[in-house]
Each structure stands twice: as structure tokens, then as C-alpha cells.
Amino acid sequence: MQFIDLAAQQKKIRAGIERRIGRVLDHGKYIMGPEVFELEAVLAEYVGVPHCITCASGTDALLMALMALDIQPGDEVITVPYTWISTAEVIALLRAKPVFVDIQPDTFNMDPDKIEAAITSKTRAIMPVGIYGQCADMTRINAIAGRHGIPVIEDAAQCFGATHHGRKSCNLSAIGCTSFFPSKPLGGYGDGGAIFTPDDALADKMRQIRIHGQKVKHQHPLVGINGRLDTIQAAILLEKFTLFPEECEARARIGRCYDTLLAEVPDITVPVIAPGNTSVYAQYTILATDRDALSATLKSRDIPSVAYYTAPLHLQGAFAGLGHQPGDFPVSEHVAAHCLSLPMSPYLTQTDQEAVCNL
């Protein structure tokens, strides 16, 4: 059994992927070729915003978003400690300060009740994360941010395709960012990412930032990065997107099946999907009273599992300078100590699910 079965998907669309790559090889526009702009148009329409700016990775998407908001050294950006390091890493790269707030114990996403106390005169952005496939409570987060005049950047690396009160992820704030890392719900065959915004000026600025701050060729009015998505990756993503809506439905169905199969298993807590949310289950993540024992049991039956983010960011050496101690964010620490992700992909069979859940 595969933890994430990419081969089953490839089998369905291999011929189409090869045709699209062949067209790129024929026209030879490997950087900023027509497939890049086609993909941006397709994804912008899907999300429901005017602007999609593809880029080289989900990390670059977050970095470009912060740069577009002119985040400066000493500024503060509120985010969560229970996430992949990219979320806080990009803040630190700009010499700004990540300000952590704890997560909710059921969704594992940013706790809106904790935000207001973290806002200071130096707060320049709020960056919630849609962990494991569902959006954070963007309605409440946006309301708090709006009262203080603070922009919100949605880190939707894991929840692209999910909805919050009927609106797609990446269409919920000033800027939405996602990742096309191969294991993501919409993943390429290499690194990639995208940024979404309804704001014309921000979109123009991020397009400049993506190409070394270049407005017109050889003219660089601002500092940027080399953040372009390769044309071949865009071609692959275009073909993979033909399956994406049905795969999101399959992920939701498989998630519900897991919920049912695990409902009566002792010492396990299944993930909670908040009212008004849908999830694309980038991972199906449970809490286990004895995670190590459960993981070992699964491994003995050749069933893979993964414990993500076992050391929250506030306890990582990279952020030691912030001065945090164990106990500062107890919910994040509890989830980090007990979380376990089970096999998940749109092609996971019920037979395999039953084998996983036969505990």
C-alpha cells in the first residue's frame, strides 16, 4: 500500500501528459511559455479571482506575497507554530518577526480567539494555514484583520480545492498562496506554486517580483526573485487539473469513509471538519493516545503512516531567537505529540481503508 498513490493517477493521464510535454519540446519555450499563462487562466477561473500568478514553489508564493506587501525588517507577521517551516521561514528571510498564535484543538488551524492579543503596532500581516486539507476560519480571521487594517495571506499549500462557506480556498483574503509539490492535492512532478489575488496592483507587483523585479526587459524598479514556474511543470499541471475536481470529491468520500471506520476505535480521535468547510484531505490525520505504538502496528502490517510536524516551529532551532519555551503553545505541542497521518489519495480503495482501520 502506498502512503500517497501517485502512480494510479499517472496511469490514467500518462498519454495526455506526454502529449503536453511534447508540445513544450516542440515550441521550445521552456521559461514563461504559453502553458504557464494557460494554467494561470484555468486556475484563476476555478478559484474565482481575477489574478493567478504561478511561481517556482509554494515557499516562493508566500515570500512573494510578503514582498508585495512590503514587509520590512522588524515588522511582525502573525502565524501558527504547527505547520511546515516555509510559513514562518519566509517571514524570517525578510528579517521580519514571526509571531505565533496557537491552533484549535479540533481543526488544528489558527485559533481566531488568540489573534487579537498578538496584534501590536508592528503587525503587518496575518498568515493562517489551511492544514491537512481544510481552510482556517477565514471569516473570523478576516473580520479581526479588517478591524485593525491588516492584510491576510492564506497559506493554502494543503487546502487548494477546499471551500469555506461556499468560496474556494485562495479566494478568501487579500492573497492566497498554494503549492504544487507532488504530494499536494494538485501536485506537479517537481516544485511549483501559485498566488491568487483580486487586487490588480498586488498582482502586477507580484508578477514583477517573480522575474527579478523586472517591469520591462532589463528594467528593475524593485528587488525581486527568480520565481518562475517551468513551462513543463505548467503543462503537467494542466493535464492533472482535468482530474482535479473529481479527485477532490473522491478525497472527501474517502475521508468520510475513514471517519466511519474509525468512529468506534478507542484512543483515536478523527479529524473534525468545521461547519461551513469542505476538506480535500491532503492528509487524513488522526490523534492517537499512543502514536508510536499505533505506527509500529501499522508498519508490522506493511501499512505506511507519517507523523508530521512533530516539533512545532516555536521549539525549532531556527526560531530559538524568539525565546519560546515548551508549554508556550500547548495545543500545538499536544497535536505534534499525537498526530498520525494515514494513507490517503483519491485512488485509495475501500479494501485498503478497511485494512488500515482493522486495529
Side-chain angles (χ1 to χ4, degrees):
M1 188 186 307
Q2 299 295 313
F3 183 68
I4 299 173
D5 189 355
L6 298 178
Q9 181 200 57
Q10 187 182 112
K11 191 179 296 185
K12 294 185 70 171
I13 55 173
R14 176 70 177 259
I17 286 173
E18 290 179 349
R19 281 195 300 271
R20 288 185 187 266
I21 292 175
R23 291 187 199 120
V24 177
L25 297 178
D26 288 342
H27 65 59
K29 297 174 183 175
Y30 304 118
I31 304 295
M32 302 303 288
E35 287 79 3
V36 171
F37 302 104
E38 182 183 353
L39 177 66
E40 290 178 345
V42 166
L43 296 182
E45 181 179 10
Y46 174 75
V47 168
V49 295
H51 303 288
C52 170
I53 303 96
T54 55
C55 55
S57 68
T59 304
D60 277 354
L62 296 171
L63 179 62
M64 290 166 58
L66 292 171
M67 293 173 72
L69 293 175
D70 200 29
I71 301 300
Q72 296 293 313
D75 289 346
E76 295 178 356
V77 179
I78 295 173
T79 190
V80 292
Y82 186 73
T83 180
W84 175 241
I85 194 170
S86 293
T87 311
E89 181 179 49
V90 292
I91 300 168
L93 283 170
L94 295 176
R95 299 294 184 260
K97 178 184 177 182
V99 175
F100 296 126
V101 299
D102 215 344
I103 59 174
Q104 297 172 313
D106 51 359
T107 68
F108 314 148
N109 280 325
M110 180 179 282
D111 187 343
D113 291 337
K114 303 289 198 303
I115 295 172
E116 207 116 29
I119 294 174
T120 73
S121 61
K122 296 181 178 180
T123 305
R124 296 291 178 266
I126 301 173
M127 191 185 293
V129 178
I131 204 78
Y132 295 141
Q134 72 167 316
C135 304
D137 190 345
M138 299 298 290
T139 298
R140 291 184 62 199
I141 293 168
N142 285 332
I144 295 165
R147 289 198 296 271
H148 293 270
I150 301 169
V152 176
I153 301 169
E154 180 193 8
D155 181 343
Q158 296 183 26
C159 66
F160 188 70
T163 60
H164 176 69
H165 295 291
R167 293 176 63 183
K168 288 280 200 312
S169 173
C170 291
N171 184 14
L172 301 171
S173 60
I175 304 174
C177 300
T178 197
S179 168
F180 301 133
F181 188 78
S183 64
K184 296 295 190 286
L186 180 61
Y189 291 156
D191 275 315
I195 314 165
F196 299 82
T197 183
D199 188 296
D200 295 347
L202 281 175
D204 287 345
K205 191 172 183 181
M206 288 186 286
R207 290 187 181 103
Q208 277 186 254
I209 291 169
R210 173 174 64 179
I211 310 179
H212 301 284
Q214 184 172 265
K215 183 77 171 177
V216 296
K217 198 168 181 65
H218 303 309
Q219 299 297 317
H220 307 267
L222 53 83
V223 172
I225 63 172
N226 180 7
R228 300 167 299 209
L229 179 70
D230 290 340
T231 306
I232 284 177
Q233 288 301 330
I236 291 165
L237 287 162
L238 279 166
E239 188 64 27
K240 294 186 79 172
F241 184 77
T242 63
L243 297 177
F244 187 61
E246 68 184 64
E247 288 186 345
C248 288
E249 293 177 4
R251 286 176 176 274
R253 184 181 68 251
I254 291 164
R256 290 191 297 269
C257 183
Y258 263 137
D259 290 346
T260 300
L261 291 169
L262 292 171
E264 303 302 323
V265 177
D267 300 320
I268 285 176
T269 303
V270 300
V272 172
I273 307 304
N277 275 0
T278 63
S279 178
V280 290
Y281 290 99
Q283 288 84 29
Y284 185 89
T285 302
I286 62 173
L287 297 183
T289 302
D290 189 340
R291 177 180 61 200
D292 292 344
L294 177 57
S295 180
T297 297
L298 293 170
K299 185 177 181 180
S300 71
R301 291 156 42 195
D302 295 323
I303 296 171
S305 62
V306 176
Y308 288 102
Y309 321 130
T310 55
L313 297 185
H314 68 288
L315 301 179
Q316 296 275 2
F319 300 106
L322 298 176
H324 290 298
Q325 301 296 324
D328 284 355
F329 303 101
V331 181
S332 293
E333 292 170 33
H334 176 80
V335 172
H338 296 279
C339 65
L340 190 69
S341 296
L342 304 179
M344 167 56 79
S345 85
Y347 304 98
L348 188 67
T349 66
Q350 185 162 343
T351 299
D352 281 345
Q353 281 191 278
E354 289 171 352
V356 172
C357 298
N358 185 23
L359 300 172

